[in-house]
Amino acid sequence: MTQPRPTTAPAHRLVPGPAGRVHLVEQGSGPLVLLVHGFPESWYSWRRQLPALAAAGYRAAALDVRGYGRSSRPADPAAYRMLDLVADNVAVVEALGEREAVIVGHDWGATVAATSALLRPDVFRAVGLLSVPYTPPGGPRPSEVFAAMGGPDAEQEFYVSYFQEPGRAEAEIEPDVRGWLAGFYAALSAGTQPGPGAPDPHFVSRGGTLRERFPAGRLPSWLTEEDLDVYAGEFERTGLTGALNRYRNMDRDWADLAAHHGAPVKQPALFLGGALDASTTWLSDAIAAYPATLPGLTASHLLDGCGHWLQQERPEDTNRLLTDWLAALPA
């Protein structure tokens, strides 16, 4: 069946935000769908969704999250807390001349999207979560949870704790951004992720690096050399600190959102996960809790044979499930 052609070509825009500027790429016309990427990516991770959403009758806008790409990169690490990212998303909706939007996020973007929907239901009428399930605010202090994940012998360290120490991950990544990104993407992709019994790439050996556990020698099937050039070129220009500062605010977020501990997101919701993604296997209890935590959930799918980079690994499936869900939302 022939798909309708997009109404417009992708257009880059800079719009005002609380930290200065937000860069986004938009395509199409109709109800606004705001697309929020994760780590370590950019608006470019939604390159396959922009034309599909435009063709389906939506105005799709994929932004560079604060600290990434052409968006502002505040110097203060505390400027990357969740409340600031929610404010950025609201500012984008307003700058685009809209009153409301559907928000869809992947990886960290899924958490940002869920929190945006939680805090501003007046702006975000529905929420789509890719790869990372919704877990309500609350529980133990995050830094303490992650510090304990290396095990009692402390011979290895969880990657979140590794990322939380200023400068440490930058020292590993920035001498060879392109090579590090290639390994990181491969480590979490179906077809190139380490097999059973191999060292887990989510952990760092004491005194070691994450890269030591990445597969080497080939790119995942969804990533071309040209795609890798785009990602690497952005991070070579900006550095990694802005992106990594998201991890360095998790305890601040925990305190900022204390009034919302245990709160459900009530808007219509979508969840898409990869069956081979650690985010969905480790957080299976969060998915099981959706009747209480996402009572508005109207569609949930685990894609067999898919890793973490869901909308890039399986763009056709993602586009179909996303547009079907959008079409079924209340007007």
Side-chain angles (χ1 to χ4, degrees):
M1 182 169 132
T2 302
Q3 295 294 324
R5 297 180 67 84
T7 55
T8 59
H12 291 256
R13 293 187 61 180
L14 294 174
V15 301
R21 68 180 181 275
V22 179
H23 169 250
L24 57 88
V25 178
E26 64 172 328
Q27 187 169 359
S29 59
L32 179 61
V33 180
L34 189 62
L35 303 171
V36 187
H37 67 80
F39 177 89
E41 300 177 278
S42 73
W43 76 267
Y44 189 74
S45 68
W46 300 104
R47 63 195 177 279
R48 305 287 183 81
Q49 283 65 55
L50 288 167
L53 290 169
Y58 299 94
R59 183 185 186 187
L63 56 84
D64 278 337
V65 172
R66 178 184 298 214
Y68 289 80
R70 293 167 58 191
S71 292
S72 291
R73 300 187 303 278
D76 182 4
Y80 296 83
R81 65 209 312 152
M82 190 63 70
L83 294 180
D84 290 320
L85 302 186
V86 171
D88 286 347
N89 292 337
V90 172
V92 167
V93 174
E94 294 173 350
L96 294 179
E98 303 287 353
R99 298 181 62 183
E100 64 179 16
V102 175
I103 188 167
V104 179
H106 169 257
D107 183 77
W108 258 123
T111 305
V112 174
T115 310
S116 297
L118 175 66
L119 299 184
R120 293 302 305 267
D122 56 317
V123 176
F124 300 107
R125 64 186 180 94
V127 58
L129 310 178
L130 275 60
S131 296
V132 175
Y134 175 61
T135 55
R141 185 180 296 274
S143 61
E144 296 173 357
V145 173
F146 297 127
M149 289 182 67
D153 56 5
E155 290 184 358
Q156 59 182 6
E157 182 178 12
F158 193 50
Y159 79 99
V160 174
S161 296
Y162 180 66
F163 284 170
Q164 286 179 330
E165 186 176 333
R168 193 167 164 215
E170 289 94 326
E172 173 186 343
I173 302 168
E174 292 185 359
D176 178 17
V177 171
R178 193 178 192 279
W180 193 92
L181 290 174
F184 191 72
Y185 295 146
L188 305 186
S189 295
T192 51
Q193 61 189 164
D200 191 331
H202 297 88
F203 291 85
V204 182
S205 299
R206 289 293 176 184
T209 64
L210 271 177
R211 188 170 182 172
E212 293 170 355
R213 299 188 175 199
F214 295 166
R218 64 189 181 107
L219 297 180
S221 61
W222 59 267
L223 185 70
T224 67
E225 296 284 353
E226 292 75 20
D227 294 332
L228 183 57
D229 285 341
V230 172
Y231 284 124
E234 289 290 81
F235 287 114
E236 286 166 354
R237 180 176 57 81
T238 65
L240 271 292
T241 296
L244 289 163
N245 276 340
R246 173 84 290 274
Y247 293 91
R248 296 163 186 166
N249 279 277
M250 297 179 75
D251 282 356
R252 289 189 182 98
D253 299 337
W254 178 78
D256 288 341
L257 298 172
H260 302 277
H261 283 189
V265 170
K266 298 179 180 179
Q267 293 96 312
L270 164 74
F271 176 72
L272 301 180
L276 302 179
D277 184 2
S279 297
T280 55
T281 55
W282 288 348
L283 295 174
S284 59
D285 287 350
I287 296 173
Y290 278 167
T293 62
L294 281 181
L297 184 72
T298 57
S300 181
H301 305 273
L302 281 182
L303 301 186
D304 290 337
C306 185
H308 182 67
W309 316 104
L310 192 141
Q311 77 270 30
Q312 298 180 89
E313 290 189 50
R314 300 280 285 278
E316 293 83 7
D317 289 333
T318 299
N319 293 345
R320 174 178 54 82
L321 294 169
L322 180 56
T323 54
D324 286 351
W325 172 71
L326 288 168
L329 291 175

